[in-house]
Amino acid sequence: MLSLVVILILSYLVGSIPGSVWVGQLMYGIDVRRYGSGNAGATNVFRVLGWKAGILATVVDLGKGLLAAGVIATLRIDDLPSGFAYWHIETVVRLMAGIAAVLGHMFPVWAGFRGGKGVNTSAGVLLALTPVTTLITAAVFVVVLLISRYVSLASIVAAIAFPSTVAIRKYVFGIESLDASLLVFGVVLAVIVIWAHRSNIRRLLSGTENRVRTFRPARG
Ligand code: G3P
């Protein structure tokens, strides 16, 4: 179990790297959490600081998930059981590492435990595990975003779309290589991401949510 604990701690620490906060502070001298939606996420960096900073924050957040689930979780695991009856232990460890990274992103030890909503970091985790399902989910995100111009709504729908797509691909199209643990952890990630969007849901319901309008800096 020691290596699992080490993997989870490392993943949490990597997930805690506050890309959005550091991009704002180091490159522009501001804390994005004091502007726009107040969220320490790439969407708010796009909104407050423009597309260059937004892309950088997106890459950092995606990279954290990829690093945790794609690299850290593959560190030598020599003290774990060889597998469960229905789930592959390697996939489960990668998903656990991914969730540790997402929780790090949301509650970053390096930034006062005030982080983002975990969408890009989740996407990085899932990209490392099932790229095709993740790209289908990303397409759903883009379609909802283009139609609604709400990033939050697109994120919530994508969070639901991922486990749904796993289920359809696995049980309707019979893609055996998709581990059932992806479905279970996909639901867990969806619950985490939707919970993180509770203030957005309130704004969506009251008609006051921010729509994507422009990529020009709109600080304040
Ligand atoms: O990934 C976060 C996004 O869905 C919403 O961000 O800044 O509009 O709350 P924001």
Side-chain angles (χ1 to χ4, degrees):
M1 290 302 287
L2 182 63
S3 57
L4 178 61
V5 172
V6 171
I7 285 169
L8 295 183
I9 291 172
L10 282 178
S11 298
Y12 168 77
L13 293 176
V14 165
S16 279
I17 295 169
S20 301
V21 175
W22 285 357
V23 164
Q25 285 176 339
L26 299 177
M27 295 174 60
Y28 298 86
I30 69 156
D31 185 341
V32 288
R33 293 173 296 185
R34 298 180 58 201
Y35 300 95
S37 69
N39 187 48
T43 302
N44 204 33
V45 174
F46 272 107
R47 182 182 292 128
V48 175
L49 297 171
W51 65 271
K52 286 181 195 159
I55 287 174
L56 187 55
T58 302
V59 169
V60 172
D61 289 351
L62 268 171
K64 296 188 302 191
L66 270 172
L67 188 60
V71 179
I72 294 173
T74 63
L75 296 176
R76 185 177 163 82
I77 302 170
D78 53 9
D79 55 354
L80 289 173
S82 57
F84 300 130
Y86 301 108
W87 293 358
H88 290 108
I89 188 73
E90 293 81 7
T91 307
V92 173
V93 171
R94 290 168 129 213
L95 286 163
M96 289 172 75
I99 286 187
V102 170
L103 292 177
H105 174 81
M106 293 170 69
F107 307 103
V109 67
W110 316 121
F113 300 99
R114 285 180 54 223
K117 296 173 181 169
V119 176
N120 283 325
T121 305
S122 297
V125 170
L126 301 175
L127 199 57
L129 282 151
T130 170
V132 173
T133 316
T134 307
L135 289 176
I136 293 170
T137 305
V140 171
F141 174 94
V142 170
V143 168
V144 176
L145 178 60
L146 289 176
I147 293 172
S148 71
R149 291 194 288 125
Y150 290 125
V151 179
S152 56
L153 183 64
S155 301
I156 291 166
V157 173
I160 297 166
F162 177 80
S164 309
T165 307
V166 171
I168 292 168
R169 294 188 72 218
K170 183 171 180 62
Y171 298 111
V172 178
F173 291 97
I175 298 176
E176 294 283 330
S177 58
L178 281 171
D179 198 82
S181 61
L182 283 166
L183 181 55
V184 174
F185 279 80
V187 170
V188 171
L189 269 177
V191 169
I192 292 172
V193 166
I194 292 170
W195 175 80
H197 281 79
R198 57 201 183 286
S199 59
N200 302 85
I201 293 169
R202 275 194 293 274
R203 289 197 293 271
L204 283 166
L205 292 174
S206 64
T208 55
E209 176 63 311
N210 298 304
R211 282 185 197 266
V212 174
R213 290 185 198 284
T214 172
F215 288 125
R216 273 185 299 125
R219 194 187 321 175

